[in-house]
Amino acid sequence: MDGEGAVALVRQRVVPPRRMVVLEALTIAAFGTLLGLVSALFGAWAVGALANGAIPQYTLKIPWGTLLLVCLLSLAAGALAALVPAQRAAAMRPLEATAQA
């Protein structure tokens, strides 16, 4: 789709700019959360594998409730961080936004 077609879609309000910005921020927050979660779990597993035998009382216990809470808070923070840019995007006309970019 060319630039004029995208401007026409936004003008027709197929996808409101505010919603588009918030959805984009939520997508980025979700991928960041997933990457951080996988990295942390791998790190905990690696430490456990390296400490095998050195620390006899070490066991890997995953606090699923805490991880779920952290994921939800991360998504909420991503949505809140997108509110101001979303308001600015909604207030701009599409041609002005492309001229500033």
XYZ file of all heavy atoms in Angstrom:
724
model
N 0.852 -1.174 0.000
C 0.000 0.000 0.000
C 0.892 1.230 0.000
O 1.856 1.300 0.748
C -0.889 -0.036 1.243
C -1.722 1.198 1.410
S -2.746 1.194 2.895
C -3.737 -0.225 2.643
N 0.563 2.183 -0.830
C 1.354 3.403 -0.889
C 0.939 4.346 0.241
O 0.012 4.096 0.981
C 1.196 4.072 -2.256
C -0.249 4.468 -2.544
O -1.135 4.009 -1.820
O -0.467 5.235 -3.502
N 1.658 5.450 0.365
C 1.397 6.392 1.441
C 0.030 7.023 1.365
O -0.626 7.241 2.377
N -0.438 7.304 0.161
C -1.758 7.922 0.016
C -2.867 6.963 0.442
O -3.868 7.378 1.013
C -1.962 8.376 -1.418
C -1.075 9.548 -1.797
C -1.256 9.952 -3.244
O -2.187 9.454 -3.900
O -0.456 10.767 -3.720
N -2.683 5.675 0.165
C -3.677 4.691 0.588
C -3.743 4.584 2.100
O -4.812 4.456 2.684
N -2.576 4.654 2.759
C -2.556 4.606 4.221
C -3.229 5.832 4.808
O -3.965 5.744 5.787
C -1.113 4.499 4.718
N -2.991 7.006 4.192
C -3.635 8.226 4.656
C -5.148 8.106 4.502
O -5.908 8.494 5.383
C -3.086 9.452 3.888
C -3.917 10.684 4.175
C -1.638 9.682 4.258
N -5.592 7.533 3.392
C -7.027 7.370 3.166
C -7.632 6.432 4.198
O -8.741 6.670 4.690
C -7.283 6.853 1.750
N -6.929 5.360 4.552
C -7.459 4.432 5.558
C -7.590 5.104 6.912
O -8.576 4.909 7.624
C -6.557 3.204 5.683
C -6.681 2.161 4.589
C -5.659 1.053 4.810
C -8.075 1.576 4.562
N -6.598 5.917 7.275
C -6.671 6.598 8.562
C -7.775 7.645 8.535
O -8.505 7.819 9.498
C -5.305 7.230 8.917
C -5.416 8.104 10.149
C -4.270 6.145 9.140
N -7.927 8.321 7.406
C -8.995 9.321 7.304
C -10.362 8.689 7.448
O -11.270 9.263 8.022
C -8.904 10.033 5.959
C -8.147 11.283 6.056
C -8.547 12.239 4.969
N -7.570 13.299 4.993
C -6.951 13.748 3.943
N -7.200 13.252 2.765
N -6.070 14.700 4.059
N -10.536 7.506 6.881
C -11.827 6.834 6.973
C -12.029 6.218 8.344
O -13.059 5.645 8.621
C -11.920 5.737 5.907
C -11.962 6.266 4.502
C -11.905 5.141 3.491
O -11.879 3.974 3.831
N -11.870 5.497 2.219
N -11.020 6.297 9.179
C -11.088 5.788 10.548
C -11.280 4.277 10.596
O -11.954 3.762 11.460
C -12.184 6.471 11.343
C -12.068 7.959 11.411
C -10.849 8.339 12.144
N -11.201 9.074 13.332
C -10.307 9.465 14.190
N -9.073 9.166 14.020
N -10.648 10.154 15.236
N -10.672 3.579 9.633
C -10.701 2.123 9.687
C -9.977 1.680 10.959
O -10.453 0.841 11.703
C -10.046 1.516 8.429
C -9.870 0.024 8.578
C -10.878 1.842 7.208
N -8.817 2.255 11.194
C -8.072 2.025 12.436
C -7.781 3.397 13.029
O -6.959 4.134 12.491
C -6.748 1.280 12.170
C -5.991 1.094 13.468
C -6.994 -0.038 11.489
N -8.457 3.745 14.109
C -8.199 5.056 14.712
C -6.743 5.163 15.162
O -6.179 4.189 15.675
C -9.137 5.091 15.918
C -10.167 4.062 15.637
C -9.511 3.028 14.799
N -6.109 6.313 14.961
C -4.689 6.462 15.305
C -4.390 6.142 16.768
O -3.380 5.549 17.077
C -4.382 7.920 14.993
C -5.454 8.368 14.088
C -6.651 7.523 14.361
N -5.281 6.536 17.657
C -5.048 6.293 19.080
C -4.963 4.800 19.358
O -4.068 4.321 20.041
C -6.162 6.931 19.898
C -5.899 6.904 21.378
C -6.975 7.629 22.156
N -7.360 8.853 21.471
C -8.570 9.383 21.525
N -9.509 8.802 22.216
N -8.861 10.481 20.885
N -5.900 4.053 18.809
C -5.922 2.607 19.019
C -4.705 1.947 18.365
O -4.127 1.010 18.911
C -7.202 2.003 18.464
C -7.305 0.506 18.766
C -8.568 -0.104 18.252
N -9.717 0.552 18.852
C -10.942 0.478 18.361
N -11.186 -0.198 17.272
N -11.943 1.088 18.950
N -4.326 2.445 17.204
C -3.191 1.874 16.490
C -1.903 2.045 17.300
O -1.109 1.109 17.422
C -3.045 2.545 15.124
C -1.984 1.949 14.249
S -2.029 2.552 12.555
C -2.107 4.308 12.740
N -1.701 3.215 17.885
C -0.499 3.466 18.678
C -0.494 2.599 19.937
O 0.530 2.011 20.298
C -0.376 4.965 19.034
C 0.740 5.209 20.026
C -0.163 5.782 17.779
N -1.625 2.481 20.593
C -1.700 1.665 21.814
C -1.484 0.187 21.488
O -0.760 -0.517 22.206
C -3.041 1.896 22.545
C -3.220 0.917 23.684
C -3.121 3.323 23.067
N -2.068 -0.302 20.402
C -1.857 -1.699 20.021
C -0.398 -1.973 19.666
O 0.148 -3.028 20.009
C -2.762 -2.075 18.848
C -4.234 -2.261 19.177
C -5.030 -2.509 17.906
C -4.424 -3.403 20.145
N 0.233 -1.029 19.006
C 1.649 -1.186 18.680
C 2.489 -1.238 19.958
O 3.390 -2.064 20.093
C 2.101 -0.039 17.795
C 3.529 -0.143 17.340
C 3.899 0.993 16.413
O 3.061 1.452 15.630
O 5.065 1.416 16.493
N 2.182 -0.367 20.908
C 2.921 -0.358 22.178
C 2.695 -1.656 22.950
O 3.627 -2.201 23.551
C 2.497 0.843 23.021
N 1.466 -2.161 22.936
C 1.191 -3.427 23.619
C 1.925 -4.590 22.962
O 2.408 -5.490 23.647
C -0.313 -3.699 23.640
C -1.113 -2.902 24.654
C -2.602 -3.158 24.474
C -0.685 -3.248 26.061
N 2.032 -4.566 21.639
C 2.768 -5.617 20.940
C 4.237 -5.586 21.320
O 4.839 -6.633 21.614
C 2.602 -5.453 19.419
O 1.214 -5.492 19.095
C 3.332 -6.546 18.673
N 4.822 -4.406 21.343
C 6.234 -4.277 21.722
C 6.435 -4.693 23.177
O 7.394 -5.399 23.505
C 6.724 -2.839 21.465
C 6.746 -2.563 19.966
C 8.097 -2.604 22.086
C 6.977 -1.121 19.602
N 5.528 -4.277 24.060
C 5.634 -4.660 25.470
C 5.502 -6.174 25.642
O 6.208 -6.778 26.450
C 4.573 -3.938 26.295
N 4.617 -6.793 24.873
C 4.433 -8.243 24.979
C 5.686 -8.986 24.528
O 6.126 -9.937 25.195
C 3.227 -8.685 24.146
N 6.278 -8.560 23.416
C 7.505 -9.219 22.957
C 8.656 -8.980 23.931
O 9.457 -9.881 24.188
C 7.886 -8.768 21.546
C 7.111 -9.475 20.482
C 6.245 -8.776 19.672
C 7.235 -10.844 20.291
C 5.517 -9.417 18.679
C 6.516 -11.496 19.316
C 5.653 -10.782 18.505
N 8.749 -7.787 24.477
C 9.792 -7.504 25.467
C 9.616 -8.330 26.724
O 10.580 -8.852 27.289
N 8.372 -8.462 27.164
C 8.081 -9.272 28.344
C 8.425 -10.727 28.093
O 9.040 -11.390 28.933
C 6.593 -9.138 28.726
O 6.319 -7.764 29.002
C 6.256 -9.975 29.936
N 8.034 -11.233 26.940
C 8.327 -12.626 26.604
C 9.834 -12.872 26.528
O 10.340 -13.867 27.072
C 7.664 -12.993 25.276
C 7.850 -14.422 24.801
C 7.211 -15.401 25.784
C 7.252 -14.593 23.420
N 10.558 -11.959 25.896
C 12.007 -12.104 25.797
C 12.659 -12.070 27.182
O 13.549 -12.881 27.483
C 12.586 -11.011 24.897
C 14.083 -11.048 24.668
C 14.479 -12.316 23.920
C 14.506 -9.823 23.877
N 12.228 -11.152 28.017
C 12.772 -11.064 29.376
C 12.446 -12.283 30.210
O 13.286 -12.789 30.964
N 11.230 -12.786 30.068
C 10.806 -13.966 30.820
C 11.607 -15.198 30.420
O 12.109 -15.938 31.271
C 9.316 -14.201 30.598
C 8.640 -15.303 31.396
C 8.695 -14.977 32.873
C 7.211 -15.445 30.944
N 11.768 -15.398 29.124
C 12.534 -16.547 28.633
C 13.995 -16.428 29.065
O 14.607 -17.411 29.510
C 12.402 -16.676 27.102
C 13.401 -17.674 26.541
C 10.983 -17.082 26.733
N 14.564 -15.229 28.976
C 15.952 -15.023 29.388
C 16.139 -15.295 30.877
O 17.117 -15.929 31.285
C 16.402 -13.595 29.083
O 16.329 -13.336 27.713
N 15.210 -14.809 31.689
C 15.307 -15.012 33.137
C 15.173 -16.488 33.498
O 15.917 -17.003 34.344
C 14.246 -14.190 33.855
N 14.228 -17.179 32.868
C 14.063 -18.605 33.161
C 15.283 -19.403 32.716
O 15.731 -20.322 33.418
C 12.798 -19.138 32.507
C 11.489 -18.661 33.126
C 10.305 -19.139 32.301
C 11.370 -19.126 34.554
N 15.831 -19.051 31.566
C 17.049 -19.730 31.106
C 18.207 -19.460 32.060
O 18.981 -20.357 32.392
C 17.416 -19.304 29.686
C 18.706 -19.914 29.215
C 18.764 -21.246 28.843
C 19.867 -19.156 29.188
C 19.957 -21.814 28.425
C 21.063 -19.716 28.772
C 21.109 -21.051 28.390
N 18.336 -18.212 32.505
C 19.410 -17.870 33.454
C 19.273 -18.625 34.757
O 20.263 -19.117 35.312
N 18.055 -18.729 35.274
C 17.834 -19.479 36.511
C 18.166 -20.955 36.317
O 18.773 -21.592 37.187
C 16.394 -19.311 36.972
N 17.774 -21.492 35.168
C 18.097 -22.898 34.885
C 19.607 -23.090 34.761
O 20.162 -24.072 35.272
C 17.410 -23.340 33.598
C 17.855 -24.689 33.140
C 17.427 -25.893 33.597
C 18.857 -24.951 32.153
N 18.088 -26.895 32.947
C 18.975 -26.352 32.061
C 19.645 -24.154 31.347
C 19.862 -26.955 31.184
C 20.539 -24.748 30.483
C 20.635 -26.138 30.406
N 20.305 -22.159 34.086
C 21.750 -22.273 33.893
C 22.492 -22.200 35.225
O 23.430 -22.953 35.463
C 22.243 -21.175 32.948
N 22.064 -21.298 36.111
C 22.689 -21.208 37.432
C 22.469 -22.506 38.196
O 23.388 -23.019 38.849
C 22.134 -19.992 38.216
C 22.506 -20.067 39.685
C 22.636 -18.703 37.608
N 21.277 -23.050 38.093
C 20.994 -24.323 38.764
C 21.845 -25.450 38.215
O 22.328 -26.302 38.966
N 22.055 -25.463 36.901
C 22.877 -26.512 36.292
C 24.341 -26.358 36.707
O 25.032 -27.353 36.937
C 22.744 -26.465 34.774
N 24.821 -25.108 36.786
C 26.205 -24.881 37.195
C 26.420 -25.171 38.675
O 27.499 -25.603 39.075
C 26.619 -23.435 36.892
C 26.756 -23.079 35.416
C 26.993 -21.585 35.259
C 27.886 -23.868 34.775
N 25.404 -24.912 39.475
C 25.519 -25.111 40.917
C 25.158 -26.535 41.336
O 25.104 -26.830 42.522
C 24.626 -24.122 41.653
N 24.926 -27.404 40.379
C 24.538 -28.777 40.685
C 25.607 -29.442 41.537
O 26.721 -29.651 41.114
C 24.321 -29.566 39.396
C 23.659 -30.901 39.658
O 23.128 -31.136 40.734
N 23.689 -31.774 38.668
N 25.251 -29.752 42.737
C 26.177 -30.402 43.648
C 26.871 -29.416 44.571
O 27.196 -29.754 45.698
N 27.134 -28.197 44.131
C 27.813 -27.221 44.973
C 26.875 -26.669 46.044
O 27.287 -26.384 47.160
C 28.360 -26.078 44.131
N 25.635 -26.529 45.678
C 24.619 -26.062 46.628
C 23.553 -27.155 46.702
O 22.641 -27.201 45.869
C 23.997 -24.727 46.183
C 25.072 -23.674 45.950
C 22.996 -24.240 47.221
C 24.557 -22.398 45.337
N 23.634 -28.036 47.677
C 22.721 -29.186 47.687
C 21.248 -28.818 47.863
O 20.373 -29.524 47.378
C 23.221 -30.032 48.851
C 24.187 -29.207 49.602
C 24.590 -28.064 48.746
N 20.960 -27.724 48.536
C 19.554 -27.381 48.776
C 18.943 -26.544 47.649
O 17.795 -26.129 47.735
C 19.379 -26.678 50.126
C 20.035 -25.324 50.229
C 21.464 -25.392 50.738
O 22.153 -26.387 50.588
N 21.921 -24.316 51.352
N 19.677 -26.293 46.564
C 19.160 -25.495 45.444
C 18.219 -26.330 44.586
O 18.568 -27.402 44.112
C 20.300 -24.969 44.562
C 19.803 -24.137 43.404
C 19.521 -22.797 43.565
C 19.582 -24.705 42.153
C 19.059 -22.032 42.517
C 19.120 -23.953 41.096
C 18.855 -22.623 41.290
O 18.386 -21.872 40.246
N 17.017 -25.818 44.418
C 16.062 -26.406 43.474
C 15.401 -25.261 42.720
O 15.156 -24.192 43.275
C 14.970 -27.246 44.184
O 14.294 -26.408 45.106
C 15.565 -28.437 44.900
N 15.134 -25.497 41.471
C 14.490 -24.481 40.644
C 12.986 -24.566 40.846
O 12.352 -25.544 40.463
C 14.841 -24.679 39.168
C 14.209 -23.696 38.190
C 14.656 -22.270 38.500
C 14.561 -24.064 36.767
N 12.438 -23.553 41.478
C 10.994 -23.459 41.672
C 10.528 -22.197 40.963
O 11.001 -21.102 41.244
C 10.634 -23.393 43.151
C 10.916 -24.669 43.893
C 10.468 -24.576 45.327
C 10.792 -25.869 46.047
N 10.417 -25.794 47.462
N 9.606 -22.358 40.045
C 9.128 -21.227 39.256
C 7.845 -20.686 39.894
O 6.848 -21.406 39.985
C 8.870 -21.655 37.806
C 10.182 -22.171 37.187
C 8.321 -20.497 36.991
C 10.033 -22.788 35.837
N 7.859 -19.418 40.323
C 6.659 -18.811 40.918
C 5.702 -18.314 39.822
O 5.758 -17.155 39.413
C 7.229 -17.662 41.750
C 8.479 -17.277 41.029
C 9.012 -18.542 40.422
N 4.845 -19.179 39.354
C 3.982 -18.855 38.216
C 3.074 -17.663 38.488
O 2.835 -16.841 37.598
C 3.164 -20.075 37.799
C 4.017 -21.165 37.258
C 4.313 -22.354 37.858
C 4.724 -21.170 36.009
N 5.156 -23.092 37.066
C 5.423 -22.388 35.923
C 4.854 -20.256 34.973
C 6.223 -22.719 34.833
C 5.655 -20.591 33.889
C 6.318 -21.808 33.825
N 2.563 -17.545 39.693
C 1.698 -16.414 40.028
C 2.426 -15.084 39.928
O 1.906 -14.102 39.389
N 3.656 -15.045 40.430
C 4.459 -13.830 40.360
C 4.807 -13.495 38.918
O 4.773 -12.332 38.512
C 5.751 -13.999 41.191
O 5.385 -14.321 42.536
C 6.581 -12.740 41.177
N 5.141 -14.509 38.131
C 5.464 -14.276 36.722
C 4.253 -13.735 35.959
O 4.394 -12.847 35.120
C 5.976 -15.556 36.077
C 7.325 -16.057 36.576
C 7.694 -17.363 35.892
C 8.397 -15.025 36.354
N 3.081 -14.252 36.259
C 1.860 -13.749 35.618
C 1.610 -12.291 36.004
O 1.274 -11.463 35.152
C 0.660 -14.621 35.991
C -0.675 -14.177 35.425
C -0.670 -14.272 33.903
C -1.796 -15.008 36.002
N 1.804 -11.982 37.276
C 1.618 -10.598 37.740
C 2.606 -9.655 37.057
O 2.229 -8.562 36.617
C 1.785 -10.530 39.263
C 1.657 -9.140 39.884
C 0.247 -8.599 39.694
C 2.044 -9.180 41.343
N 3.855 -10.075 36.926
C 4.862 -9.249 36.259
C 4.493 -9.042 34.792
O 4.637 -7.934 34.259
C 6.262 -9.880 36.411
C 7.276 -9.230 35.490
C 6.716 -9.787 37.846
N 4.003 -10.082 34.136
C 3.589 -9.945 32.724
C 2.443 -8.949 32.594
O 2.453 -8.094 31.694
C 3.184 -11.306 32.165
S 4.559 -12.424 31.914
N 1.464 -9.042 33.457
C 0.327 -8.118 33.403
C 0.763 -6.679 33.691
O 0.311 -5.743 33.022
C -0.759 -8.557 34.384
C -1.467 -9.859 34.039
C -2.441 -10.251 35.143
C -2.183 -9.756 32.711
N 1.649 -6.502 34.676
C 2.137 -5.157 34.982
C 2.959 -4.590 33.827
O 2.896 -3.390 33.541
C 2.970 -5.173 36.263
C 2.184 -5.362 37.554
C 3.127 -5.498 38.747
C 1.216 -4.224 37.769
N 3.713 -5.435 33.155
C 4.494 -4.986 32.006
C 3.587 -4.514 30.872
O 3.837 -3.478 30.249
C 5.393 -6.116 31.520
O 6.045 -5.763 30.343
N 2.533 -5.262 30.602
C 1.591 -4.848 29.554
C 0.857 -3.561 29.943
O 0.634 -2.693 29.094
C 0.597 -5.969 29.273
C 1.190 -7.210 28.610
C 0.133 -8.292 28.485
C 1.779 -6.870 27.264
N 0.504 -3.440 31.215
C -0.156 -2.220 31.674
C 0.775 -1.014 31.545
O 0.344 0.069 31.126
C -0.627 -2.384 33.117
N 2.045 -1.202 31.887
C 3.013 -0.101 31.758
C 3.192 0.286 30.292
O 3.298 1.478 29.969
C 4.352 -0.517 32.365
N 3.208 -0.695 29.404
C 3.321 -0.394 27.975
C 2.129 0.396 27.468
O 2.272 1.329 26.679
N 0.934 0.020 27.918
C -0.273 0.739 27.502
C -0.290 2.162 28.058
O -0.637 3.109 27.348
C -1.517 -0.021 27.948
N 0.095 2.311 29.324
C 0.118 3.649 29.917
C 1.164 4.540 29.251
O 0.934 5.733 29.061
C 0.392 3.555 31.421
C -0.767 3.050 32.266
C -0.330 2.867 33.717
C -1.948 4.003 32.190
N 2.295 3.969 28.893
C 3.349 4.750 28.250
C 2.934 5.198 26.851
O 3.490 6.152 26.320
C 4.635 3.933 28.178
N 1.968 4.533 26.262
C 1.536 4.875 24.902
C 0.407 5.899 24.878
O 0.061 6.391 23.801
C 1.082 3.611 24.184
N -0.149 6.232 26.010
C -1.316 7.119 26.014
C -1.005 8.520 25.483
O -1.759 9.064 24.677
C -1.925 7.191 27.406
C -2.651 5.930 27.853
C -3.228 6.117 29.253
C -3.741 5.548 26.874
N 0.086 9.124 25.921
C 0.413 10.485 25.470
C 0.723 10.499 23.970
O 0.173 11.325 23.228
C 1.561 11.086 26.307
C 2.047 12.404 25.714
C 1.094 11.295 27.735
N 1.594 9.584 23.458
C 1.806 9.567 22.010
C 0.524 9.258 21.232
O 0.332 9.777 20.131
C 2.850 8.473 21.791
C 3.547 8.347 23.084
C 2.526 8.678 24.126
N -0.352 8.456 21.805
C -1.607 8.135 21.120
C -2.497 9.365 21.028
O -3.143 9.589 20.001
C -2.329 7.009 21.852
N -2.525 10.163 22.086
C -3.322 11.388 22.058
C -2.774 12.358 21.006
O -3.522 12.987 20.279
C -3.332 12.068 23.429
C -4.093 11.298 24.471
C -5.593 11.311 24.236
O -6.082 11.353 23.116
N -6.341 11.252 25.313
N -1.443 12.450 20.923
C -0.840 13.330 19.921
C -1.142 12.840 18.512
O -1.417 13.630 17.614
C 0.672 13.397 20.117
C 1.073 14.203 21.301
C 2.569 14.332 21.372
N 2.956 14.965 22.625
C 4.144 14.865 23.145
N 5.084 14.179 22.536
N 4.419 15.465 24.278
N -1.080 11.525 18.318
C -1.364 10.968 16.987
C -2.816 11.198 16.599
O -3.124 11.464 15.435
C -1.039 9.481 16.964
N -3.711 11.101 17.557
C -5.125 11.299 17.256
C -5.431 12.753 16.935
O -6.341 13.053 16.162
C -5.976 10.836 18.434
N -4.653 13.665 17.499
C -4.908 15.087 17.275
C -4.338 15.587 15.950
O -4.763 16.622 15.449
C -4.324 15.899 18.430
N -3.384 14.856 15.379
C -2.743 15.294 14.132
C -3.512 14.835 12.913
O -4.108 13.769 12.921
C -1.333 14.725 14.028
C -0.324 15.374 14.869
S 1.271 14.654 14.460
C 2.285 16.061 14.618
N -3.456 15.637 11.901
C -3.977 15.194 10.610
C -2.915 14.318 9.969
O -1.716 14.540 10.158
C -4.302 16.396 9.738
C -5.466 17.188 10.291
C -5.956 18.238 9.336
N -4.912 18.726 8.444
C -4.829 19.952 7.990
N -5.727 20.832 8.352
N -3.864 20.325 7.175
N -3.305 13.302 9.218
C -2.336 12.354 8.645
C -1.263 13.009 7.785
O -0.098 12.624 7.834
C -3.202 11.405 7.823
C -4.535 11.471 8.448
C -4.679 12.860 8.964
N -1.608 14.008 7.004
C -0.608 14.658 6.163
C 0.409 15.438 6.980
O 1.592 15.489 6.634
C -1.285 15.555 5.125
C -2.108 14.813 4.065
C -2.784 15.793 3.135
C -1.218 13.861 3.288
N -0.014 16.025 8.089
C 0.928 16.702 8.972
C 1.897 15.707 9.601
O 3.075 15.981 9.737
C 0.181 17.441 10.094
C -0.556 18.672 9.652
C -1.329 19.295 10.818
O -1.113 18.875 11.975
O -2.145 20.173 10.562
N 1.380 14.564 9.984
C 2.213 13.536 10.622
C 3.270 13.021 9.653
O 4.426 12.837 10.034
C 1.349 12.391 11.118
N 2.897 12.818 8.410
C 3.876 12.319 7.435
C 4.877 13.421 7.070
O 6.025 13.119 6.755
C 3.200 11.785 6.161
O 2.356 12.799 5.615
C 2.407 10.546 6.461
N 4.470 14.664 7.123
C 5.400 15.756 6.822
C 6.437 15.911 7.928
O 7.577 16.262 7.652
C 4.628 17.059 6.659
N 6.075 15.605 9.163
C 7.013 15.705 10.286
C 7.959 14.521 10.313
O 9.035 14.611 10.897
C 6.266 15.806 11.604
C 5.582 17.131 11.800
C 4.906 17.216 13.141
O 4.947 16.280 13.932
N 4.291 18.356 13.418
N 7.573 13.411 9.742
C 8.421 12.207 9.771
C 9.479 12.321 8.773
O 10.489 12.601 8.638
C 7.608 10.973 9.424
